[in-house]
Amino acid sequence: MLSDSEGKKAVGLARDTIELFLRSGKKMHVSELPKVFDELRGVFVTLTIEGELRGCIGHPYPDSPLNDAIIDSAISAATRDPRFPAVNISEMDDIVVEVTVLTQPELIDVPPQKLPEVIEIGRHGLIAKDGPYQGLLLPQVAPENDFDAIDFLSHTCLKAGLSHDAWLTSAQMYWFEGQIFKEMSPRGDIEEEKFNSCCK
């Protein structure tokens, strides 16, 4: 778990990385960050404008140190999300930056029909895998969209390019948890966002 101060540094690093890259094309080089930033962690960087998604890309698995993963994900979210044009530097005054640090994804080891019973909305993120197809939804996606567990499973499969009911038939489902830090407004205070687990 990251402390509040470490979470604020993570979001600050993401914003500074994006703004440096958009202005100069240069990649951020950092030093003297807390030790947690040297640990291998999965991470996603999410950009929104007035609550609407503007970019979201990350590292689902802990394949690189957290600081490197944040830098890479931040640049990718701003410039390489295929759903959106690249962010313009002028947009950064309106963009809210959010960083989600992930736990290691684990296969959900229950029969498919039992999946909706074990998934906790607001706590778990999901990955659907089937052969070359893979899709991920972060833990915050379900409560932000009023999904129940079946909705969440179905939308994760659709994100992977699979049928909505692939979680019952062919897909392997993995879960993970995320610690979410975000700006409360563009360039504003940074707080940890927590969702209460509600519907199963």
Side-chain angles (χ1 to χ4, degrees):
M1 297 287 284
L2 273 66
S3 68
D4 283 346
S5 65
E6 290 164 348
K8 289 174 181 176
K9 287 182 188 296
V11 175
L13 175 59
R15 175 174 281 280
D16 290 348
T17 293
I18 293 168
E19 295 188 354
L20 175 66
F21 187 82
L22 293 180
R23 285 195 176 100
S24 68
K26 294 180 180 177
K27 227 172 173 179
M28 179 74 69
H29 293 285
V30 292
S31 58
E32 297 184 14
L33 283 171
K35 287 186 178 178
V36 69
F37 286 85
D38 294 327
E39 296 177 8
L40 300 181
R41 296 289 185 96
V43 70
F44 269 72
V45 173
T46 303
L47 310 177
T48 56
I49 296 180
E50 295 183 348
E52 296 295 320
L53 187 64
R54 186 61 182 84
C56 180
I57 289 184
H59 291 227
Y61 298 96
D63 54 16
S64 54
L66 179 58
N67 65 326
D68 293 339
I70 290 172
I71 290 168
D72 181 66
S73 299
I75 292 170
S76 294
T79 65
R80 300 179 192 136
D81 189 326
R83 297 168 291 182
F84 304 99
V87 170
N88 187 286
I89 187 64
S90 64
E91 293 179 87
M92 292 305 296
D93 289 337
D94 301 313
I95 281 176
V96 165
V97 179
E98 177 179 312
V99 173
T100 306
V101 182
L102 312 185
T103 62
Q104 173 79 40
E106 297 177 353
L107 182 67
I108 311 175
D109 190 17
V110 299
Q113 62 271 22
K114 295 280 189 185
L115 285 168
E117 298 174 25
V118 298
I119 291 166
E120 293 184 39
I121 297 298
R123 177 183 176 189
H124 293 129
L126 296 177
I127 297 172
K129 281 187 183 181
D130 188 3
Y133 298 96
Q134 176 173 310
L136 176 149
L137 290 179
L138 294 171
Q140 54 267 48
V141 169
E144 286 175 352
N145 291 278
D146 293 323
F147 288 166
D148 63 18
I150 291 176
D151 293 332
F152 197 25
L153 286 158
S154 299
H155 280 272
T156 307
C157 290
L158 292 171
K159 181 78 180 288
L162 304 169
S163 65
H164 69 92
D165 60 352
W167 60 273
L168 276 170
T169 56
S170 58
Q172 288 185 309
M173 301 302 301
Y174 293 75
W175 58 12
F176 59 90
E177 297 179 31
Q179 194 177 10
I180 307 157
F181 294 93
K182 68 182 292 187
E183 297 173 338
M184 294 297 99
S185 61
R187 303 188 196 283
D189 291 341
I190 297 164
E191 295 182 9
E192 183 174 359
E193 187 168 31
K194 295 183 179 179
F195 295 97
N196 293 323
S197 298
C198 54
C199 31
K200 289 278 184 102

